[in-house]
Amino acid sequence: MTKIIYISLVLLLLYSCRKGEDIKPEFYDCSFNFADSSAANPDNNKYQALLDEMTSNGVVGVTMSVYRPQTGMWVGASGKSDLHNDVDMKPCNISRVGSTVKMFTAVTVLLLKEEGKLDLDDKISDYLQGDVIDNIENADIATIRQLLQHSSGIYNYIQNLEFQTASLNDLIREWKPEDLLKYAYNKKAYFQSDEDVRYSNTGYILLGMLIEKIEGKPFYEVFEEKLFGPLGMTLTKFAAKDHVPEGIVRGYIDMYSNLQVLESTYFSGWDYYTADGGLISNPYDMSVFFQTLMNGQIVSDQSLNEMLTWKMPDETDPGFFPIYYGLGIFKIETSKGIAYMHSGDAIGYYANMLYFPDDSTTIVYAVNSNYGKIDQFVSTKEAMENILDVLK
Amino acid sequence: MTKTLFLFIVVIIFVSSYGDLKGQERAIPVNISLFNESTAIPFTRFFSTPAHPGILVGTEFNYKEKEHSRLFQTANISYFYHNYLAQGAGINTELGYERTLKSGLAFEGLFGIGYMHTFATTEEFSFSDGQYLKKTDKGNARLFPSFSIDIGYYLKKGEINNGKIFIRYQLWAEYPYSPDFIPVMTHVNLHVGAKFFINKKAKKND
């Protein structure tokens, strides 16, 4: 009897592991809508060596774009887009780029301001009512500008341990904005509005709801109409319409910090429907957006100036660059100079976009693996310094 | 799921009673329970969905026993399957205190410590020599401390080998979980189970 139980247990452990999805390599085929001359770029070998170093350290796959006015656009990739099917990463491949969407949310709000549909100093409660205002401390007094700048003091639902364990408990759940906001209900605000700055995803969910209230349609459709379409961002989309669209690279997590990765492509259901995450793009499209924005070709000079008006947090993180908060954008002081940036995480994905105002260099990279030991090669201060040492 | 649970409860009530039918001689107690595992912060949730099934089989012995209370030690093996996240097999022991009422109701508190080995439930790729390769999952070693409270009901009051049915709320932690990332993972198991007795003498005669 004991032997039967033992054998059954061993068989159960061995055979209850889900195998990866068989996907044909053509699924990942993609192409750019510009003449790619990266191979002729004088820094091509240097840039490619950087990407190869990242993947040789344990990053599963990486795509990158580097734009310099003197040498133009360079795009490259290294590693794998799909480990189970052994498919190489391509520069045009799309992946989840998480919170980088906040810059798109902020720009959309600024465009609505320019259209006279709102004022940045209006209270969010002038537009939204009900539970989301009544149950979130500071939501009744926070202005749109404060939400954009993370100066509302509103509690960040992602910090709630109950949310973190609940999302692990149901890794493929698709969360609606109201489900997520409940984790900020009745939580003490970090500070009185406008007293300090502290990152809050909750504020950006409210901003997505604001866009929907004003435009009468899903906020991601407003992104498509005002940004993706006009800027020719042909490969950029939002997860709400198709959670795992054709061509998206597989995501992987180093869950136990031992460089043994698990596939997590379907695990980001908490940002499919909210304006604090959920963007799917590639480094070329994101670079086009960032450059065009900084060139003053999306919003007016006045709006851009408001976006680039900075606040420094009272407490700085000694483990990161000195950082300043703008409207949906950050300024950091690197050893290579001032950079404007926004990064983003999803489960199994990370992306970062940086713009150096001194020479207009624009760097965007996206990886399809994160957490555990991988973060030290992609998202920490040391990782960014290593990347900038080569690129800037 | 509800049907399975109902069937399980019927079976354990029968098994608990069966132990008693074998006579009054002191026999080996066996605890068996089915449980729903969840990653959760302690005392924030009673039952979570989706259900992640688990099973526990164990025994116990008394250190001290009085008319309405006892101090005892358990020894258990358990298994759970958490969809997409992990599956684990563990052994543990608990120090327990039980208080019984005349009505047959019983309340327990248990502090436990154990070893668990967890395995991925999705395909795993290991990094070696600059590339990721599919490898047999050797799993991860974990320490698992636990604290449980349960409420039970003794089916035949006054008998030595008295079967019991119970509902147990178990809090446990998985350590180390992910060094420098998530040091500890907390879980909640909700058990439905029974204690019955295996009568050694009866077994020999079978």
Side-chain angles (χ1 to χ4, degrees):
Chain A
M1 182 66 182
T2 316
K3 204 178 268 180
I4 292 169
I5 291 173
Y6 177 74
I7 291 167
S8 305
L9 195 65
V10 170
L11 289 174
L12 190 68
L13 290 169
L14 286 176
Y15 291 100
S16 51
C17 178
R18 185 180 282 103
K19 297 292 173 205
E21 206 177 338
D22 291 329
I23 299 170
K24 290 183 178 168
E26 300 81 56
F27 176 85
Y28 300 102
D29 283 350
C30 57
S31 59
F32 286 120
N33 59 358
F34 75 104
D36 179 9
S37 59
S38 302
N41 189 299
D43 292 315
N44 180 50
N45 292 341
K46 190 171 72 168
Y47 295 167
Q48 187 60 47
L50 170 69
L51 302 191
D52 293 342
E53 183 197 331
M54 290 172 76
T55 52
S56 71
N57 283 330
V59 176
V60 175
V62 54
T63 53
M64 182 178 275
S65 68
V66 182
Y67 173 79
R68 286 174 175 278
Q70 308 89 332
T71 52
M73 178 69 80
W74 178 88
V75 288
S78 182
K80 299 290 177 186
S81 57
D82 181 333
L83 289 173
H84 176 75
N85 298 290
D86 192 26
V87 184
D88 289 338
M89 185 74 91
K90 292 185 262 299
C92 52
N93 279 149
I94 55 171
S95 65
R96 300 191 194 282
V97 294
S99 287
T100 59
V101 78
K102 291 186 175 76
M103 204 185 288
F104 293 76
T105 305
V107 167
T108 303
V109 170
L110 288 167
L111 288 171
L112 294 176
K113 179 211 71 167
E114 290 174 11
E115 291 168 18
K117 294 176 176 171
L118 57 84
D119 189 292
L120 293 185
D121 295 311
D122 288 342
K123 290 178 182 173
I124 190 73
S125 56
D126 293 342
Y127 299 86
L128 305 176
Q129 288 84 35
D131 286 350
V132 297
I133 299 299
D134 299 340
N135 295 324
I136 297 177
E137 195 171 305
N138 284 8
D140 57 334
I141 52 169
T143 66
I144 294 167
R145 186 190 304 276
Q146 289 163 354
L147 295 177
L148 289 168
Q149 199 159 23
H150 301 281
S151 61
S152 70
I154 286 176
Y155 178 81
N156 186 0
Y157 75 90
I158 283 183
Q159 296 287 318
N160 189 330
L161 290 175
E162 280 186 57
F163 166 71
Q164 293 173 13
T165 50
S167 62
L168 270 178
N169 197 51
D170 189 359
L171 281 162
I172 57 164
R173 177 174 172 182
E174 294 167 13
W175 298 75
K176 291 288 161 43
E178 296 76 16
D179 301 328
L180 296 169
L181 289 175
K182 281 179 184 161
Y183 288 95
Y185 282 7
N186 307 313
K187 291 286 182 185
K188 194 166 167 49
Y190 296 128
F191 46 81
Q192 281 293 309
S193 292
D194 231 17
E195 276 190 356
D196 196 359
V197 282
R198 181 161 168 176
Y199 197 84
S200 178
N201 287 72
T202 312
Y204 273 77
I205 294 184
L206 295 175
L207 289 167
M209 296 168 91
L210 169 74
I211 294 168
E212 294 185 345
K213 185 75 182 279
I214 290 173
E215 293 298 88
K217 61 180 84 165
F219 67 84
Y220 43 87
E221 287 183 9
V222 183
F223 290 173
E224 288 169 0
E225 289 168 13
K226 292 186 183 296
L227 300 172
F228 305 164
L231 297 178
M233 299 170 68
T234 53
L235 295 173
T236 299
K237 48 204 84 192
F238 199 83
K241 282 195 167 173
D242 189 352
H243 308 328
V244 186
E246 177 125 353
I248 190 167
V249 300
R250 305 294 96 176
Y252 299 90
I253 44 174
D254 180 18
M255 191 71 182
Y256 305 124
S257 294
N258 54 7
L259 291 182
Q260 292 178 1
V261 297
L262 308 170
E263 196 197 317
S264 60
T265 312
Y266 293 85
F267 293 176
S268 291
W270 46 275
D271 68 0
Y272 287 169
Y273 298 101
T274 51
D276 61 330
L279 192 67
I280 294 168
S281 189
N282 67 20
Y284 173 73
D285 273 10
M286 292 166 74
S287 182
V288 166
F289 166 74
F290 210 174
Q291 287 174 59
T292 313
L293 175 67
M294 290 297 120
N295 290 341
Q297 294 172 280
I298 301 181
V299 296
S300 68
D301 288 348
Q302 188 205 342
S303 294
L304 191 58
N305 284 335
E306 290 195 270
M307 195 173 184
L308 303 179
T309 299
W310 310 104
K311 281 189 172 185
M312 192 178 189
D314 288 346
E315 281 183 34
T316 52
D317 176 2
F320 199 63
F321 303 99
I323 191 165
Y324 304 82
Y325 288 57
L327 306 187
I329 192 168
F330 298 96
K331 180 175 80 170
I332 55 172
E333 294 172 354
T334 76
S335 59
K336 303 293 178 180
I338 295 288
Y340 303 154
M341 57 91 64
H342 210 302
S343 60
D345 264 303
I347 299 181
Y349 302 89
Y350 172 82
N352 197 356
M353 50 183 184
L354 302 115
Y355 174 87
F356 290 81
D358 64 337
D359 64 357
S360 301
T361 296
T362 310
I363 298 163
V364 183
Y365 60 96
V367 299
N368 62 336
S369 48
N370 64 351
Y371 300 161
K373 283 190 175 170
I374 293 175
D375 282 351
Q376 65 183 296
F377 305 116
V378 297
S379 57
T380 60
K381 182 184 181 186
E382 291 70 30
M384 287 174 65
E385 280 174 337
N386 184 45
I387 290 166
L388 295 180
D389 278 347
V390 176
L391 301 181
K392 185 77 168 69
Chain B
M1 182 67 192
T2 318
K3 214 181 244 180
T4 313
L5 200 64
F6 177 73
L7 195 65
F8 178 71
I9 290 168
V10 171
V11 170
I12 59 179
I13 289 174
F14 173 76
V15 170
S16 308
S17 308
Y18 179 78
D20 304 333
L21 295 174
K22 290 288 182 184
Q24 290 293 299
E25 195 168 313
R26 177 62 90 181
I28 300 169
V30 175
N31 289 304
I32 182 163
S33 66
L34 290 184
F35 61 84
N36 177 37
E37 178 274 345
S38 61
T39 52
I41 300 298
F43 299 114
T44 57
R45 282 176 183 269
F46 186 68
F47 185 82
S48 298
T49 54
H52 303 298
I55 185 165
L56 176 143
V57 180
T59 187
E60 62 188 38
F61 64 88
N62 293 337
Y63 287 123
K64 268 186 183 177
E65 192 172 8
K66 291 181 182 172
E67 191 182 357
H68 290 295
S69 67
R70 66 190 180 102
L71 186 68
F72 62 98
Q73 189 79 40
T74 71
N76 311 296
I77 58 168
S78 60
Y79 168 82
F80 75 91
Y81 184 92
H82 187 126
N83 206 6
Y84 296 105
L85 188 64
Q87 56 181 329
I91 52 169
N92 80 324
T93 181
E94 297 157 299
L95 179 66
Y97 177 78
E98 183 185 54
R99 187 90 192 161
T100 50
L101 305 179
K102 282 182 182 170
S103 61
L105 276 175
F107 302 91
E108 277 183 18
L110 303 106
F111 286 97
I113 189 76
Y115 172 84
M116 178 170 283
H117 211 79
T118 63
F119 298 85
T121 51
T122 52
E123 198 170 41
E124 190 172 67
F125 299 88
S126 295
F127 191 66
S128 174
D129 296 328
Q131 59 179 330
Y132 280 98
L133 300 168
K134 282 180 208 176
K135 275 194 178 169
T136 307
D137 182 11
K138 290 176 184 165
N140 300 290
R142 306 282 193 243
L143 193 68
F144 89 97
S146 64
F147 170 67
S148 308
I149 46 174
D150 83 15
I151 178 167
Y153 180 73
Y154 279 100
L155 298 169
K156 299 206 170 180
K157 297 180 284 290
E159 293 183 13
I160 297 172
N161 300 333
N162 192 350
K164 181 180 131 177
I165 53 172
F166 62 85
I167 293 175
R168 178 172 299 167
Y169 187 78
Q170 181 185 32
L171 314 170
W172 61 280
E174 206 180 334
Y175 178 82
Y177 191 71
S178 181
D180 301 323
F181 178 45
I182 307 169
V184 182
M185 179 57 63
T186 56
H187 301 252
V188 169
N189 292 352
L190 184 66
H191 297 249
V192 177
K195 176 166 77 172
F196 58 94
F197 292 84
I198 297 174
N199 189 315
K200 280 194 250 180
K201 198 174 176 183
K203 200 178 172 186
K204 274 178 192 169
N205 292 340
D206 290 342

